Amino acid sequence: DAGVIQSPRHEVTEMGQEVTLRCKPISGHNSLFWYRQTMMRGLELLIYFNNNVPIDDSGMPEDRFSAKMPNASFSTLKIQPSEPRDSAVYFCASRKQGTGGAWETQYFGPGTRLLVL
Amino acid sequence: AQSVTQLGSHVSVSEGALVLLRCNYSSSVPPYLFWYVQYPNQGLQLLLKYTTGATLVKGINGFEAEFKKSETSFHLTKPSAHMSDAAEYFCAVSGGGGSNYKLTFGKGTLLTVNP
């Protein structure tokens, strides 16, 4: 199993540019999460998809952030325009949601380290 | 609402010594509790989790944790630290109800192992 795949692993961009982060969940998983990790705020859930449908986007910081999941094997997180305060590590995680939910393990990708200058 | 408090942002031990990382949680519903480990420049990896049943949970790499409801704690231990255990450790809680997909993480504890 390849695990959760994220690209790029590192991204350096200038303020105002568009940034697109990509995620391929584990095959067979039907839930996908985007997290942001910073020193100040720790790990924050940005958005949660179930069966490709956004269920909870309350963690998305503002309208500059958007996420899509066009199919079960691909998701994007877009920041437009980017700002220096968006600099963070962005993680994608996936989970196979059965009848339970709360106890089922989320599997994390390696993350994308974003630096906005 | 759920929350997690990890006592000590940085713990330093000698190789071979006991590792104890503390986690206290707050939850209005029976919690499910997790410990994740993050090695440098990597994603989070599940160490162990408590769902129901036996309160002492064994995980990978010799780690274990005990759920103590009366103390609202889920401390992580390992009898003998190894250099390869140096990493950041996150405690997390999830629960039932409409937000049973949410994992609430603590701030993390950085473990340093000295030779």
Side-chain angles (χ1 to χ4, degrees), chain B residues 1 9-10 14 21 27 32 35 64 88 91 96 102:
Chain B
S9 59
H10 187 193
S14 298
L21 304 182
S27 177
Y32 302 108
W35 275 100
E64 62 182 35
E88 189 153 24
C91 182
K102 277 195 173 181

Side-chain angles (χ1 to χ4, degrees), chain A residues 80-92:
Chain A
Q80 166 64 16
S82 58
E83 296 183 2
R85 60 193 168 119
D86 301 330
S87 298
V89 182
Y90 291 82
F91 288 105
C92 177

Side-chain angles (χ1 to χ4, degrees), chain B:
Chain B
Q2 297 174 313
S3 66
V4 173
T5 301
Q6 291 184 240
L7 297 174
S9 59
H10 187 193
V11 170
S12 182
V13 300
S14 298
E15 191 173 19
L18 171 72
V19 175
L20 171 60
L21 304 182
R22 299 178 187 273
C23 172
N24 288 87
Y25 69 90
S26 172
S27 177
S28 58
V29 297
Y32 302 108
L33 296 157
F34 304 77
W35 275 100
Y36 280 85
V37 60
Q38 184 179 26
Y39 298 103
N41 299 316
Q42 294 187 28
L44 280 72
Q45 178 184 0
L46 182 71
L47 269 180
L48 51 81
K49 65 180 179 182
Y50 168 78
T51 56
T52 59
T55 56
L56 182 63
V57 181
K58 295 186 184 299
I60 62 172
N61 301 337
F63 284 93
E64 62 182 35
E66 186 171 11
F67 170 60
K68 292 187 176 180
K69 183 178 178 180
S70 61
E71 299 178 8
T72 61
S73 69
F74 190 56
H75 301 331
L76 182 71
T77 60
K78 182 174 180 177
S80 176
H82 191 272
M83 297 294 290
S84 60
D85 295 326
E88 189 153 24
Y89 292 79
F90 293 90
C91 182
V93 62
S94 72
S99 299
N100 65 3
Y101 53 87
K102 277 195 173 181
L103 269 180
T104 300
F105 286 91
K107 294 290 189 185
T109 298
L110 182 64
L111 176 66
T112 302
V113 182
N114 303 307

Side-chain angles (χ1 to χ4, degrees), chain A residues 4-114:
Chain A
V4 176
I5 299 172
Q6 291 186 247
S7 64
R9 292 294 307 276
H10 302 272
E11 178 81 27
V12 181
T13 191
E14 294 187 345
M15 182 173 65
Q17 296 298 305
E18 177 180 296
V19 175
T20 299
L21 311 181
R22 297 172 176 80
C23 175
K24 177 179 171 55
I26 293 172
S27 177
H29 285 192
N30 57 353
S31 294
L32 185 138
F33 306 80
W34 281 101
Y35 290 88
R36 179 172 66 177
Q37 184 181 39
T38 61
M39 289 290 292
M40 291 297 294
R41 301 173 67 92
L43 272 158
E44 305 173 276
L45 176 65
L46 299 178
I47 188 168
Y48 159 60
F49 291 88
N50 191 47
N51 293 323
N52 312 337
V53 176
I55 304 299
D56 181 358
D57 65 356
S58 60
M60 296 286 264
E62 48 200 271
D63 292 345
R64 297 185 298 106
F65 285 69
S66 63
K68 293 182 179 180
M69 192 165 186
N71 57 61
S73 59
F74 184 66
S75 177
T76 59
L77 178 67
K78 186 176 292 186
I79 308 173
Q80 166 64 16
S82 58
E83 296 183 2
R85 60 193 168 119
D86 301 330
S87 298
V89 182
Y90 291 82
F91 288 105
C92 177
S94 71
R95 183 181 75 175
K96 184 174 183 178
Q97 178 155 336
T99 57
W103 62 77
E104 290 161 351
T105 301
Q106 293 184 24
Y107 295 86
F108 284 74
T112 295
R113 189 172 298 271
L114 174 64

